[in-house]
Amino acid sequence: MTSLVTRSDRRAVRARPGRVPWILVVPALVGLAFLVLPFVGLLVRAPWSTMGARVTEPEVLTALWLSLSTATVATLVSLLLGVPLAWMLARTEFPGRRWVRALVTVPLVIPPVVGGVALLLVLGRNGLVGRYLDDWFGLTLPFTPAAVVIAQVFVAMPFLVISVEGALRGADRRYEEAAATLGAGRVTVFTRVTLPMVLPGIGAGAVLCWARALGEFGATITFAGNFPGTTQTMPLAVYMAMQRDPEAAIVLSLVLLLVSLAVLATLRERWVNA
Amino acid sequence: MVDRSAHGPQTDTAPTDAAPIDTVADGHRGLDADLRSTRGSFTLDVRLSCPPGSILALLGPNGAGKSSALRALAGLVPLTGGHVRLGGVDHTTTAVEHRPVGMVFQDYLLFPHLSALDNVAFGPRCQGVGRAEARERARALLEHMDLADHVAARPRRLSGGQAQRVALARALAVRPGMLLLDEPMAALDASTRVAVRSRLRHLLEEFDGVTVLVTHDPLDAMVLADHIAVIEGGRLVQEGTPAEVARRPRTTYVARLVGLNLFRGRAHGDTVTLGEDGSDTTATVAVREAHHGPALVAFPPRAVALYRDHPHGSPRNMWRLRVEGVERFGDQVRVHLEGPLSLVADITPAALAELGLARGEEVWAGVKAAEVECYPG
């Protein structure tokens, strides 16, 4: 009883917050509308009557499958390479570390098309590295599903690295010291203490990375081309459909939107709030 | 630990009260450390020794370097000079993960993603012990510490005292030659400290290796340790048993911790002239035994009697002092006095009322020579 009384008392005497200033509210609402309205447009203009038939067209399903599988593989590759890279940046000292850190973020700021061109110059059949891949292993990367993955890793991995590096810097390093006094070498410390403790950060980074890979367009179309069935991912399919059949583009967009929202919601529940 | 006999010999190379001389002897089985490091403007220069089965407390104010000393013993911070020898083996350059050391950290730092059992089994697993055996060892240790009901608990579900024992079990599970504890009582709330402290003492007594613990609390040091090393400003300023440190403090910091008035001076027979160099010789203290040369004198605040008028048949030590402040101190009143020497006196509230003391007034303060401890300075 007493606690209830004091609580209501406290509420009664609490100072009223000032009015919310319109100079902040108006731009906030405009911003929100700007972000939401395009999706409303998609929903309003969608050809709902023919939706079922259009969604199950083999072309759509192929592009969807290619998008989901390449984005997932790209995320796995990014995890495999990006987490150790983040660890290097957060936990080791080496000359030029600041420069390396800056280089890692370059793919975040350059236009993806430029990234695609750069990849072609390096990994193309006559590229710096691609030449030898072709000569020695008979391996040609451009215009294959592997090229799609490479393009996605190039643009998406920095998101993962930045996110994981932040998590590593935020983690209490004294736990790593505690593990060391218990006889754990650096690899054991990393796998059994550091990794479990920054798992939420890695999860959040992986989600960002996956979402960025799923939406990849510029680097993909430049480096991997636009071949239905092998390199035409959903974003490319949407763009192509827009040229000849805008309704099909709307359907594809809705599918992409739904799938990514569903996956992100599931992962968010599981990782980001952990 | 559980399966070993309790006490090691206490006799071999016990540290002396004075600055420790080289205690490195062949077959020294305990800790012999000379810790020197410089980081920025802070210099640590401390020699420590401790026989096996004995508990050494590093006592000092915040920033004195005691935690740095402990971290240096663990190998977590590099030394710029000196050595760390344990059981006659030099570990100065041994990597952290290979030192025969178990450490209990401040806040305990139990791995939050592992159960209590897996926390304790972590060390043995790192040492290459099989999973089943490591868990068995961990279970036995936890059961020994009355934590059988909490083996599966995550650290955040444990109370402060329980977490402390899990941390201790985790440190002991690697079967270390030296156990290090960094402020083991700091994370506990006041209501549980007494019980947890005596229980920790009991568990530490069972360990037959060297134990070094760091604390800023003199009570923790007195209760938990066999020997106390006082560190101030990166240097060892006093070393001895808790009784010696409590009775004969060597710095004002230690004197304040153990609640004594301390003065430095020069002894001529049974009189000590206060002052470092003898230039401002305004006060003398009579002591019960004759000494010569630099000396320290100490007496407890409750040995001081206060008088309005100069009493007849007075004690040999009588000073005219000015009241600087009065505060409650337990069931006594502590009076801060300034004059030819500054000291504190504990009197009863009744005596205070009778004297009617106010700030700025002058009183006579008397101490019997028999109550004054005098020792070489």
Side-chain angles (χ1 to χ4, degrees), chain A residues 174-175 177-178 180-181 183 192 196, chain B residues 71 97 101 105 109-110 113 123:
Chain A
R174 296 180 308 152
Y175 286 98
E177 292 183 344
T181 65
R192 293 209 53 203
Chain B
R71 290 169 61 79
E97 61 265 35
V101 160
F105 288 80
L109 301 183
L110 298 173
H113 57 284

Side-chain angles (χ1 to χ4, degrees), chain B residues 60-145:
Chain B
N62 287 330
K66 52 196 193 309
S67 280
S68 301
L70 200 72
R71 290 169 61 79
L73 288 176
L76 289 169
V77 291
L79 291 177
T80 48
H83 61 257
V84 176
R85 293 195 195 104
L86 189 64
V89 182
D90 193 293
H91 287 293
T92 313
T93 55
T94 309
V96 192
E97 61 265 35
H98 297 126
R99 287 202 189 194
V101 160
M103 188 154 173
V104 175
F105 288 80
Q106 192 171 359
D107 309 326
Y108 311 131
L109 301 183
L110 298 173
F111 304 127
H113 57 284
L114 298 179
S115 67
L117 185 75
D118 287 332
N119 262 282
V120 179
F122 186 95
R125 290 287 291 143
C126 289
Q127 292 177 330
V129 176
R131 182 185 297 271
E133 195 190 332
R135 295 188 133 216
E136 202 37 60
R137 199 194 285 186
R139 189 180 300 277
L141 272 167
L142 287 171
E143 278 170 8
H144 178 68
M145 297 190 182

Side-chain angles (χ1 to χ4, degrees), chain A residues 111-178:
Chain A
V113 179
V114 176
V117 171
L119 284 172
L120 210 52
L121 290 179
V122 173
L123 296 173
R125 195 185 279 249
N126 292 316
L128 285 175
V129 178
R131 184 181 311 161
Y132 301 105
L133 290 178
D134 196 34
D135 286 355
W136 297 347
F137 308 107
L139 201 65
T140 314
L141 286 174
F143 314 118
T144 63
V148 176
V149 171
I150 290 171
Q152 290 174 346
V153 169
F154 180 77
V155 297
M157 190 162 70
F159 285 91
L160 181 87
V161 174
I162 299 281
S163 168
V164 174
E165 195 206 342
L168 283 170
R169 288 191 180 280
D172 192 342
R173 292 196 62 177
R174 296 180 308 152
Y175 286 98
E176 297 176 2
E177 292 183 344

Side-chain angles (χ1 to χ4, degrees), chain B residues 188-242:
Chain B
L188 301 167
D189 49 58
S191 60
T192 58
R193 287 179 85 99
V194 176
V196 172
R197 193 189 288 118
S198 63
R199 182 164 208 171
L200 179 61
R201 165 84 213 191
H202 186 73
L203 289 169
L204 290 181
E205 273 172 359
E206 295 174 344
F207 179 57
D208 59 4
V210 170
T211 303
V212 182
L213 67 90
V214 155
T215 179
H216 66 275
D217 183 344
L219 188 57
D220 290 343
M222 303 280 167
V223 174
L224 294 173
D226 307 317
H227 270 83
I228 295 178
V230 184
I231 296 177
E232 281 178 63
R235 301 185 156 274
L236 192 65
V237 294
Q238 183 165 10
E239 197 178 355
T241 64

Side-chain angles (χ1 to χ4, degrees), chain A residues 110-119 155 212 216-223:
Chain A
I110 62 160
V113 179
V114 176
V117 171
L119 284 172
V155 297
R212 179 67 188 85
E216 218 308 294
F217 181 87
T220 311
I221 202 164
T222 316
F223 181 54

